[in-house]
Each structure stands twice: as C-alpha cells, then as structure tokens.
Amino acid sequence: MMIHIKNVFLIVLLFAFSEARSQEEPTYKKRVLESTEVDILSSYYSQAGDNAAVSGGIGTEELTDVTGTIVVSIPLNDDDVLTIDAGVSAYTSASSSNVDPFDGKGSANAFVASSGASKGDNWVNLKGSYTHSSDDRNDVWSANAALASEYDYFSLGFGGSYSKLFNEKNTEASINANVFLDSWTTVYPIELRPFSDGGLGFFRPDEISGNPNYSPQFTELTKKNRNSYSLGFGLSQILHKNVQGLISIDLVQQQGLLSTPFQRVYFSDVADSFIEDFHLADDIERLPDNRFKIAIGGRLNWYLNEVLSLRTYYRYYFDDWGINSHTASVEIPVKLSDKFTVYPSYRFYNQTAADYFAPYETHLSTENFYTSDYDLSKYNAHQYGLGVSYTDIFTQLHISKFGLKSIDLKFYRYDRDTSFGYQIVTAGFKFVMD
C-alpha cells in the first residue's frame, strides 16, 4: 500500500513540474516577416500642357521622367523589421528649361523648350524605417528617416507611427507624425538675376522690344527653407466579414519658402518687354510663408465574391489659401485565376482656386502675393487606370536565392480641364529570399 501511495505522489510531482515548465516556455508566435523581401519598382511618366508656371502661366509643360526604386525589407527577429528604400529619378523638362530660355540655339519662346543645360536633372531619395510589433501583434510602432536631393533642393525628414488593434483585431486605431526640413538653392529666372538685391543691372538691353525700359520690381527672397509638420489619425473597422471601412484625418502645417523661386509672374499694369519671342518677367511667384491643410478621408472595401471586389475612396480637403477639393475614386479588382488579377480604376478630382492665383498677365503689381501656377487654379480632373498583377505564393521562379512572389503592372491616364494631362506606366517586382 505504501508503495502505491508513493508512486501516486511521484506522478503528481512530475505532472506539476511539467506543467510549470510548460508555463515558463514561450508560446509560438508567427514572425512579422518570414524572410527578406526585395521590391524593384520602376516607372515612366510623360506630361504635356500649355500653362507652364515657369513662364507665367503660358508655354509648354512637356516633361518626361524615368524612376527606379529598390525597397529591401529585412526581418531582424520575430518582431522587428528594417526597411531600406532607395530611388533615383531622371527627368527632362521643357518647362524648367525655360528658366533660362536663351541658353539654347533656337529663338527663345515660352512654347518651345530651350536646349540648354537647365532642361534636365536627377532626383535621389533614401529612406529607412524600423517597425516593432508586440508579442500579440496588437501594437505596432515604427520610426523613419529620409533624405532627398535635387539640383536646387534638399530635404531631410523623420517621423513615426503607432497602431493599436483591438476588438479581436476587428478594429485598428493609428496615429502618425512626420517632419520635413527642406532647403532651397534659390534659382531665379535668368533675366531677373542682374537685379538681385535691388541692383540696377540690365539684361541684354539692346535686344529688348516692346517696353525698352525694362525695370522689374524683383528683390531676392529672404527665406530659403521650408518646414512641414504633419499629424494623421486613422480608424479602420471590419463592418462585416466581407466589408472593411476606414476613416482618416490629416493635418499639415507648412512654414517658410512656399513659393518656387524660378516661376515667373506678369502684371497687367506693367508694359511688356521681350527679347526674341520671350516675355521678360515682371517678378517671381510670391506666396505667404504659412499654410495649414486639413484632409478628411474615408475608404470602403467590399469583397463581393471570389472573383470580384470593390474598393472606394473619398477625401475632402481645405486649406487657409482658399483651396477646397473633393477626391472620389473606385477600383474593381477582378480575379481571373489563382495567379492573375486585373483592376480597372477611375478617380475624379476638383478644386477651387487659391486666393493668390490669377492667369497670365492678370495680376496687379500692387498685390502682396501672386502666382500663375495652374496647380493652384480652379479645375476638374479625371484619371483612368488599369492594372494587372501576377502572384505566385510558392515562388516557383527563382533568381539566385530569391523567388519571384509577384509582378504588378499599371497604366494611368490623367486629364485636367486646363489643357494639362499625363500618362504613367509603373512596374513592380517582389522577390522573397528562400
């Protein structure tokens, strides 16, 4: 009998010990990112129009841009991911070439691109972000930093975000904040440069037609930096097993140089002066050094069936420069097979004009602020798109140690009722390390 009781006692001790060990050992959790992913992105962009801000609201807006970007996401452990995003863009612009329309071989004209050195440039960007997820995956923190540079522009940015999932992960609340510190190398229209700092210089006076007494009211800008501060809030909710909704609000405060130094303005109360066929600037664009923006948006995504989904979006925007805008878009992904999906899309946009906008040669020289940039004008715009995606979750195609997970191809056509339009083609390839 004693032996039997002793055995039972040992069994109880062993069970208690094993139970304690099982409580001490960590439970299994799925990694946020299983393995390193590499995204290779590229795009070709082409635009045209007749309202170039560089030449005061008239002239060619032709521009082409080719961009290449690589994004590498690296899992540091089960919970943390480091992402590096690097890109370069090379563009040729008929509009920016007319910062100096006289440096080419042909006669200067706002509707003809100059063939000089100012017709093209490169833009480079580098961004890094770090993301941490809690053990239960209900809390996600991230931090980021970015650098961007162009021939007349440099930008430093940093920020972070926090997301909280609750209600059995059916609800997500998020907040994000970012700061961008930008600086300009002030490049002015060529004919205004001799008048810098109130000087009495002259620009090729023997060649001036129209008003021969060319004397612009130009003075150099006193500020050469721009700071932008943004704060965003989001709330998403699974409304039904097939329906998800999102509402968001974004606040942006900008301070500093908010105009573009090489964009011309012409006054109706100043006599016109020309060299060749190019109208010499009366001044440059001048805008307030503060701007506050608010955007309120909402998304509704509806999974209709195994073949068809519906993604909708609406945003209302307003700022203290007098612009109010509405954006509405719809995208309809159609699943053709396990691997192929097509998604046609449409986007509508309209806005009111900024308080400081007026077309070519309609501003008055007595005004404090003025611009003829049609991005700040009243207009309606339509964008039509078509995308095709290929997905292979088993990554059967390999390049070295990387398997091809997906391919995305997109085409967009944009038309604005101010004679402006563009087309853009993008391609994206996602690779996963085995």
Side-chain angles (χ1 to χ4, degrees), residues 368-434:
N368 292 322
F369 302 112
Y370 31 79
T371 177
S372 294
D373 184 347
Y374 273 72
D375 287 345
L376 299 176
S377 71
K378 177 183 178 180
Y379 66 86
N380 296 325
H382 306 268
Q383 179 179 277
Y384 309 89
L386 181 63
V388 180
S389 68
Y390 165 85
T391 303
D392 180 8
I393 61 174
F394 299 108
T395 61
Q396 295 177 341
L397 179 63
H398 282 71
I399 299 177
S400 185
K401 295 182 180 180
F402 289 88
L404 178 63
K405 186 175 182 179
S406 65
I407 301 174
D408 284 283
L409 303 174
K410 299 176 184 177
F411 171 79
Y412 295 104
R413 168 69 191 182
Y414 174 93
D415 291 299
R416 185 193 292 180
D417 60 4
T418 61
S419 84
F420 177 82
Y422 69 71
Q423 301 102 33
I424 182 170
V425 179
T426 68
F429 303 85
K430 180 183 288 291
F431 296 90
V432 180
M433 179 178 285
D434 292 341

Side-chain angles (χ1 to χ4, degrees), residues 158-275:
F158 53 89
S161 67
Y162 170 69
S163 298
K164 175 71 175 180
L165 285 80
F166 50 96
N167 188 21
E168 297 182 346
K169 299 188 187 298
N170 289 318
T171 307
E172 180 179 352
S174 63
I175 182 173
N176 67 80
N178 290 280
V179 176
F180 291 94
L181 308 175
D182 308 331
S183 60
W184 292 87
T185 299
T186 46
V187 177
Y188 300 113
I190 185 66
E191 67 272 29
L192 295 179
R193 296 174 196 175
F195 298 88
S196 296
D197 297 321
L200 299 176
F202 294 95
F203 181 75
R204 297 165 62 171
D206 296 337
E207 302 176 47
I208 294 177
S209 60
N211 174 25
N213 299 314
Y214 178 56
S215 180
Q217 63 179 50
F218 170 73
T219 57
E220 287 197 16
L221 295 166
T222 58
K223 294 185 178 180
K224 299 182 181 180
N225 67 294
R226 174 176 63 197
N227 298 338
S228 302
Y229 311 93
S230 68
L231 183 64
F233 304 91
L235 180 66
S236 68
Q237 175 67 46
I238 296 177
L239 304 171
H240 179 271
K241 65 178 182 179
N242 294 340
V243 182
Q244 182 185 39
L246 167 70
I247 57 174
S248 64
I249 180 169
D250 293 287
L251 312 173
V252 178
Q253 175 69 53
Q254 292 183 297
Q255 299 173 337
L257 177 53
L258 305 184
S259 59
T260 304
F262 52 75
Q263 293 186 170
R264 294 175 174 88
V265 170
Y266 300 99
F267 300 128
S268 60
D269 56 344
V270 173
D272 298 343
S273 299
F274 296 85
I275 288 183

Side-chain angles (χ1 to χ4, degrees), residues 28-36 74-81 133 137:
Y28 171 77
K29 61 181 177 182
K30 183 177 175 63
R31 292 169 65 91
V32 175
L33 186 65
E34 292 293 337
S35 58
T36 299
I74 306 168
L76 303 178
N77 49 49
D78 289 350
D79 306 322
D80 303 321
V81 177
S133 299
R137 303 299 184 246

Side-chain angles (χ1 to χ4, degrees), residues 319-389:
D319 62 30
D320 56 2
W321 283 10
I323 292 180
N324 293 265
S325 73
H326 301 271
T327 305
S329 68
V330 59
E331 184 179 81
I332 306 174
V334 180
K335 196 172 181 63
L336 303 179
S337 68
D338 291 340
K339 294 185 177 182
F340 288 95
T341 301
V342 297
Y343 39 100
S345 64
Y346 169 74
R347 176 179 176 269
F348 172 77
Y349 177 85
N350 76 345
Q351 73 172 37
T352 59
D355 297 335
Y356 318 109
F357 171 82
Y360 169 74
E361 210 169 15
T362 55
H363 280 294
L364 296 174
S365 61
T366 54
E367 297 172 14
N368 292 322
F369 302 112
Y370 31 79
T371 177
S372 294
D373 184 347
Y374 273 72
D375 287 345
L376 299 176
S377 71
K378 177 183 178 180
Y379 66 86
N380 296 325
H382 306 268
Q383 179 179 277
Y384 309 89
L386 181 63
V388 180
S389 68

Side-chain angles (χ1 to χ4, degrees), residues 24-43:
E24 292 174 1
E25 291 175 356
T27 57
Y28 171 77
K29 61 181 177 182
K30 183 177 175 63
R31 292 169 65 91
V32 175
L33 186 65
E34 292 293 337
S35 58
T36 299
E37 294 184 352
V38 178
D39 289 278
I40 299 175
L41 312 172
S42 62
S43 67

